[in-house]
Each structure stands twice: as structure tokens, then as C-alpha cells.
């Protein structure tokens, strides 16, 4: 490598050059990605980062940036793509309108319709959350991490994690509260 920070990526024997880049920067890139998207997604995005770097090596200009900065730029773009895909998925889930499958029992059908509506409402609510709030909620519920672990992943204080989680849970509970005649105290219900 012509300098560890600004290697020549146009040479013929790229395997040792990229091996050194990976050895030197993969851990830091993964830590950054994990703090933004979680550890499982981070592993995939690290692989994608180095694959794209190899594919686009001709676009790397050592006079403009270090290899580290270039790799972090690729990783950031991948994070943006991942976040857009996640939002699209949540919004799509929120807007699905499939008819319920009848199993012959009215209560079962009603429960299924209710569950589908709750999934749509939850997905819509998740899509509307700020990215940091959504990360805290999903790392807690899907990742089963505690506040200390989430703080390490997101590189924020554990108190901030607990505060965000409390706020998000309160918001989701309020949004999910059933609108029944009992919850509409003081309002007249006409038949």
C-alpha cells in the first residue's frame, strides 16, 4: 500500500491491499453501523461496504480523502438505503388491507381482524417514530437488549435509552388504546 491511510486501489494485486483495509477498518466500520442499525444488520452492511469499495475502487481519490473516510462514506450511504427500506416496509405493513380468512367461528374471525388492525396501527406508529426512538424500541423488543446494552450499541447514555423507551411506550400505549364506549367517557353514543 502506498501509505496506510491513502492506498493505491488501482494496482493489479488488490487482494493484499483490501485485506489490510479490512483488517484496519472493518471493526470501526462495524461499530459505527451497529450503533446505527443494530449488530445483525451491521454484519451485512460491513460486507456490503467492502464489496462496494472493491467494485468502485476506481472512484477512490486518495488526494480527497483517507480510505477510512471513504469507507465510512460508503457505510453511511448503505445505512440511508437500509433506513429507507425499513420505513417503506413499515408503511407497507401499516397499509395492508387483506381480507380476513374465515375459519367458521365468528370470534376467531373477529380476533384475526382485530390483530390485523393492530399490526397495521403498530407498523404505522413505528414508521412515524424518530429513527433514534425506533432503534431504542426495536433493540429492546426485537433485539431483547437491556438499556445498558442499547446504550453501548447506540453510543448514548443508558439514561437517554430509558427516557426514549418510556416516551415511546407511552406514545404507543396511547395510540393503541381501544376506542370503546367505556373509554369515551362523557361522549354520547348514538345507535
Amino acid at each position: 500500500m502506498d501509505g496506510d491511510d491513502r492506498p493505491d486501489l488501482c494496482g493489479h494485486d488488490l487482494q493484499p491491499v483490501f485485506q489490510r483495509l479490512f483488517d484496519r477498518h472493518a471493526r470501526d466500520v462495524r461499530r459505527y453501523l451497529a450503533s446505527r442499525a443494530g449488530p445483525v444488520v451491521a454484519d451485512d452492511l460491513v460486507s456490503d461496504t467492502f464489496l462496494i469499495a472493491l467494485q468502485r475502487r476506481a472512484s477512490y481519490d486518495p488526494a480527497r480523502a483517507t480510505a477510512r473516510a471513504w469507507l465510512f462514506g460508503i457505510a453511511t450511504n448503505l445505512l440511508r438505503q437500509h433506513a429507507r427500506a425499513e420505513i417503506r416496509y413499515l408503511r407497507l405493513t401499516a397499509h395492508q388491507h387483506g381480507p380476513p380468512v374465515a375459519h367458521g367461528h365468528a370470534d376467531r374471525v373477529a380476533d384475526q381482524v382485530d390483530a390485523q388492525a393492530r399490526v397495521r396501527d403498530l407498523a404505522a406508529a413505528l414508521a412515524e417514530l424518530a429513527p433514534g426512538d425506533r432503534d431504542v424500541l426495536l433493540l429492546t423488543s426485537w433485539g431483547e437488549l437491556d438499556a445498558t446494552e442499547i446504550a453501548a450499541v447506540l453510543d448514548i447514555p443508558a439514561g437517554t435509552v430509558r427516557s426514549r423507551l418510556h416516551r415511546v411506550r407511552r406514545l404507543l400505549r396511547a395510540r393503541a388504546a381501544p376506542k370503546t364506549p367505556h373509554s369515551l367517557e362523557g361522549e354520547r353514543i348514538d345507535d
Side-chain angles (χ1 to χ4, degrees):
M1 240 191 276
D2 293 334
D4 285 342
D5 292 335
R6 298 176 188 271
D8 176 15
L9 301 181
C10 295
H12 294 292
D13 191 14
L14 293 175
Q15 194 272 332
V17 174
F18 271 88
Q19 183 64 51
R20 283 192 293 269
L21 277 177
F22 186 86
D23 291 345
R24 184 165 185 178
H25 301 295
R27 186 176 334 142
D28 291 338
V29 170
R30 187 194 181 284
R31 187 177 308 121
Y32 166 72
L33 292 168
S35 72
R36 298 277 314 269
V40 174
V41 172
D43 291 338
D44 291 339
L45 293 179
V46 167
S47 298
D48 291 345
T49 297
F50 282 89
L51 178 63
I52 289 170
L54 180 62
Q55 292 169 342
R56 297 184 183 165
R57 64 189 175 273
S59 71
Y60 172 65
D61 181 2
R64 291 186 61 212
T66 63
R68 175 183 164 84
W70 181 61
L71 290 168
F72 272 80
I74 293 169
T76 299
N77 287 333
L78 288 170
L79 275 171
R80 288 182 190 134
Q81 291 171 6
H82 173 74
R84 284 191 299 267
E86 183 179 50
I87 295 295
R88 278 192 305 270
Y89 171 75
L90 291 170
R91 287 184 177 148
L92 177 65
T93 301
H95 290 88
Q96 287 180 339
H97 297 288
V101 177
H103 291 134
H105 191 270
D107 289 337
R108 192 170 186 185
V109 172
D111 288 346
Q112 186 175 8
V113 169
D114 185 48
Q116 289 173 347
R118 287 180 185 216
V119 166
R120 286 191 300 269
D121 290 346
L122 178 59
L126 289 174
E128 293 172 6
L129 291 175
D133 290 348
R134 185 174 40 254
D135 289 343
V136 166
L137 178 66
L138 297 180
L139 284 167
T140 300
S141 58
W142 293 351
E144 299 179 358
L145 301 178
D146 63 29
T148 304
E149 292 170 315
I150 295 169
V153 168
L154 299 178
D155 195 26
I156 58 176
T160 301
V161 170
R162 286 187 284 276
S163 174
R164 285 182 184 178
L165 188 57
H166 175 73
R167 182 180 59 245
V168 168
R169 284 178 173 165
R170 188 182 57 213
L171 174 77
L172 292 177
R173 272 193 298 270
R175 185 173 174 145
K179 306 295 188 240
T180 64
H182 299 293
S183 69
L184 301 174
E185 294 177 16
E187 291 185 28
R188 183 173 173 197
I189 301 174
D190 295 321
D191 289 323

